[in-house]
Amino acid sequence: MKNHIVSAFRLTLVMLVVTGIYLGLVYGGSKILPTQGNAEIINYKGQKFYANIGQEFKSEKYFHGRPSTVNYNAAGSGGSNKGPSNEEYLETVQKRIDTLRMQNPEMGKDKVPVELATASGSGLDPDISQEGALYQAKRIAKVRNLSEEQIKSLINAQTEKPFLGLFGPSKLNVLKLNIALDQLK
């Protein structure tokens, strides 16, 4: 019995040290990031927005982000937990695709980028791919009476490249993209 208690105590101490080192590395690493591990707050037109949390944009004149299973409520982050074999999930995705095609008739039967039809695991993803933005470019150019080239140029300017050119995909923050779109003349 005594051997088990001593072994358990030693294991507890080792795990406390390992966990402490890990937490120190994560905390220290966050402090070298541009926002130092804090939320990125954007004040625009007298309102405060969090660029790290997906926002809902319904108007035709804005880029739309990923769908949210939690209605963009950061207090209730989470996915639907429905897999690709779930009939209800497949119906939801098909409705989203149909809505996107109706909103963007210029795209015809072009493939809908996956992030525009499926929600992220948290339901709060603030980013879309360059393909997702380009899919919506014709609609926005038409609604705003701008050239498609102006919209594509804006998309290219707002595209964030992968970290160190290696880690992750190219992406666009939808909130920042829409603010830049409002400022486009």
Side-chain angles (χ1 to χ4, degrees):
M1 175 82 168
K2 182 180 175 186
N3 289 341
H4 293 298
I5 291 174
V6 171
S7 295
F9 184 71
R10 285 182 186 158
L11 181 60
T12 301
L13 287 177
V14 168
M15 292 309 298
L16 282 172
V17 169
V18 168
T19 304
I21 291 169
Y22 172 75
L23 290 174
L25 288 172
V26 170
Y27 179 76
S30 74
K31 294 304 170 190
I32 64 171
L33 295 172
T35 59
Q36 296 184 335
N38 298 317
E40 184 178 352
I41 299 170
I42 296 175
N43 290 303
Y44 182 66
K45 291 186 178 180
Q47 287 187 295
K48 182 166 58 169
F49 298 96
Y50 293 91
N52 311 76
I53 298 173
Q55 314 284 322
E56 184 172 26
F57 294 95
K58 292 183 178 180
S59 174
E60 287 184 345
K61 68 180 190 171
Y62 289 113
F63 287 95
H64 300 165
R66 287 190 82 159
S68 174
T69 56
V70 295
N71 296 320
Y72 304 96
N73 177 2
S77 171
S80 70
N81 293 333
K82 294 177 182 169
S85 62
N86 182 296
E87 288 297 322
E88 184 181 341
Y89 174 74
L90 293 174
E91 287 174 23
T92 300
V93 170
Q94 188 58 55
K95 285 179 188 174
R96 290 175 183 159
I97 291 170
D98 294 342
T99 300
L100 284 163
R101 287 200 169 125
M102 192 172 59
Q103 291 172 340
N104 300 281
E106 306 84 10
M107 298 310 292
K109 293 288 183 181
D110 285 6
K111 181 180 167 213
V112 173
V114 70
E115 79 272 4
L116 296 179
T118 60
S120 65
S122 68
L124 301 171
D125 190 352
D127 303 318
I128 59 174
S129 69
Q130 199 168 21
E131 293 79 23
L134 290 170
Y135 185 85
Q136 302 175 68
K138 288 182 182 182
R139 167 182 48 90
I140 291 167
K142 182 179 175 183
V143 170
R144 289 184 175 252
N145 293 319
L146 297 168
S147 74
E148 196 175 331
E149 291 310 312
Q150 284 177 290
I151 301 299
K152 287 181 178 180
S153 178
L154 177 70
I155 290 169
N156 288 333
Q158 290 290 316
T159 300
E160 298 174 30
K161 300 297 180 197
F163 182 65
L164 299 177
L166 300 171
F167 303 106
S170 293
K171 60 186 179 181
L172 292 101
N173 183 288
V174 178
L175 174 64
K176 292 177 184 178
L177 179 61
N178 284 331
I179 289 172
L181 183 61
D182 275 346
Q183 295 169 345
L184 194 64
K185 304 265 180 192

